[in-house]
Amino acid sequence: MAELLQRCNVLKFGWRLLKSSHAGAGKPLYISSQSFSNGHNLFGLLFDIDGVLVRGRTPIPAAKQIFRSLVDRKGKYKVPVVFVTNAGNSMRQTKAEQLSHLLEVEVSPDQVMLSHSPLRMFSQYHNMCVLVSGQGPVLEVAHNLGFQNVVTIDMLRDAYPLQDMVDHNRRPKDMVPPSKELPPIEAIILFGEPVRWETNLQLIMDVLLTNGKPGNALTTLQYPHIPVLACNMDLMWVAEAKNPRFGHGMFLVCLESLYKKVTGCELKYAALIGKPSVVTYNYAELLIRQQAESLGWTQPVERLYAIGDNPMADIYGANLYNRYLQSCHRTRALMQLGGGEPQSQPLEDPHEMTCAEMGGVTGAYGGEEPLPVGCSSILVCTGVYSRDQQELPPDPRHTVTEHRIFHGHRDFRFDPNLTQPSFMVQDVKEAVELVFQQEGWPLE
């Protein structure tokens, strides 16, 4: 109950981290100095990228059109904007440059949130020796997030060349050099889907089964295993192909199944990060608040609007975060009525969230930061979701066997209500126009 009803200390650390990094940054946020706040409610926009703004490397025409209206004549943003993507195979700077080119507006790295961005706040793992899996500049990404002692899959394969044996062409053909000693691996960070699934699955399993010492022979299984932190739970995503492609969530399904098959035990996650986890939206809110301060707003942002194409990631996550916000406000109200002391026997909450849904964070919330009133979800039909798909049935007992398979992560409960958007529109242009109309703001 405490995880749902209280804010996390880890998020307070994140806010301090963001403020300090912004104070030392040489490049200002791209936000308009003009304030529209007088007489209007204040809001921020959270944009998914793939399927909403682009398909692969091709921008969706509606996105380029609407972003011309979101900036003033000097190219400065009228409201706080954060790009929240489950992609994690690049640096924020690289993604910002790509978006700037595709959307033809300036995008700052401070506006980009990748699936692994909240790992900055998981400082308890930063000094551990961690194995990282994914593709792209994973070593640079890990160091940028604060991890000091990093081992990549390639480094592990180089140290133990006899352990990657699926591809016959990659097996050692000459005399095998002696194995290199690596420090014991204390945690595993899964950034995103790798290129060679068989290699990553094999070596990650080696690390799990040997308690972080893959050069040793397996003797007795130690369970629970070393911590595993996973970013991006998307089962599928949309690029230029006509049908969705496998995402990192599919890789996680493979790893979970392998571990269960070999050991008879469930793979456990110390953290599940990226949409739809609450910690991801907490971190996005911190970025929105940072931009609002740069905009000169003295009043807190009252509402967030999350625009996405995936009901099981974007919509589920935004609605889950909205549920979290409502619970926080109820708890604050009860504490005020009780003189600031939490109830000794808290009320049962039918929507109490699991640790996985929270993202793996725990702790106490001091209550000094203002919270948004809520978070509305907007589903667009230019990506994973299309209007031709049948609606989800209201009875979850019928979901898997009769109508539709649950594509969310294993550790997230299925609640049909969380997949229903606050609004559904054709594309991102209609979404932004709807938001400004709802809030009574001029868009032109």
Side-chain angles (χ1 to χ4, degrees), residues 8-72:
C8 304
N9 277 330
V10 69
L11 296 168
K12 288 198 255 182
F13 166 76
W15 178 232
R16 292 195 299 269
L17 179 105
L18 286 171
K19 292 186 74 174
S20 62
S21 64
H22 180 50
K27 190 175 184 180
L29 287 174
Y30 291 95
I31 300 179
S32 171
S33 59
Q34 181 180 4
S35 176
F36 293 93
S37 60
N38 295 333
H40 294 93
N41 294 329
L42 305 184
F43 64 93
L45 297 173
L46 306 178
F47 289 97
D48 180 39
I49 297 176
D50 292 304
V52 175
L53 305 178
V54 300
R55 287 183 69 104
R57 298 181 180 179
T58 305
I60 294 173
K64 295 177 67 173
Q65 295 173 21
I66 197 60
F67 268 83
R68 295 192 191 103
S69 300
L70 274 176
V71 297
D72 63 17

Side-chain angles (χ1 to χ4, degrees), residues 131-134 151-153 156-157 163 185 187-194 196-214 225-229 248 251-252 254-256 258-259 267 269:
L131 174 68
V132 295
S133 169
V151 175
T152 67
I153 291 291
L156 192 62
R157 182 177 178 273
Q163 299 196 193
I185 293 169
I188 300 172
I189 312 294
L190 307 176
F191 283 137
E193 63 271 21
R196 286 183 170 268
W197 287 32
E198 78 284 357
T199 295
N200 287 60
L201 289 170
Q202 177 69 77
L203 298 184
I204 291 170
M205 283 292 294
D206 288 338
V207 170
L208 289 171
L209 296 175
T210 60
N211 199 39
K213 301 175 182 178
H225 51 71
I226 62 174
V228 177
L229 295 84
H248 191 222
F251 180 82
L252 298 182
C254 295
L255 181 62
E256 293 156 11
L258 284 171
Y259 190 82
L267 182 72
Y269 294 95

Side-chain angles (χ1 to χ4, degrees), residues 7-145:
R7 192 109 171 187
C8 304
N9 277 330
V10 69
L11 296 168
K12 288 198 255 182
F13 166 76
W15 178 232
R16 292 195 299 269
L17 179 105
L18 286 171
K19 292 186 74 174
S20 62
S21 64
H22 180 50
K27 190 175 184 180
L29 287 174
Y30 291 95
I31 300 179
S32 171
S33 59
Q34 181 180 4
S35 176
F36 293 93
S37 60
N38 295 333
H40 294 93
N41 294 329
L42 305 184
F43 64 93
L45 297 173
L46 306 178
F47 289 97
D48 180 39
I49 297 176
D50 292 304
V52 175
L53 305 178
V54 300
R55 287 183 69 104
R57 298 181 180 179
T58 305
I60 294 173
K64 295 177 67 173
Q65 295 173 21
I66 197 60
F67 268 83
R68 295 192 191 103
S69 300
L70 274 176
V71 297
D72 63 17
R73 294 180 179 178
K74 297 181 179 180
K76 311 303 182 182
Y77 287 86
K78 298 175 181 178
V79 297
V81 167
V82 170
F83 301 89
V84 186
T85 175
N86 267 350
N89 57 357
S90 67
M91 302 286 289
R92 289 195 306 163
Q93 177 68 41
T94 303
K95 183 63 71 173
E97 291 172 356
Q98 292 172 352
L99 287 171
S100 298
H101 173 72
L102 291 170
L103 298 176
E104 298 178 357
V105 296
E106 192 69 39
V107 176
S108 164
D110 294 322
Q111 293 175 279
V112 175
M113 181 175 169
L114 304 173
S115 62
H116 50 63
S117 295
L119 285 175
R120 292 176 179 273
M121 301 187 295
F122 286 72
S123 57
Q124 67 269 37
Y125 299 101
H126 288 176
N127 292 324
M128 291 184 179
C129 179
V130 299
L131 174 68
V132 295
S133 169
Q135 59 181 290
V138 291
L139 190 62
E140 185 181 4
V141 168
H143 286 152
N144 183 261
L145 292 169

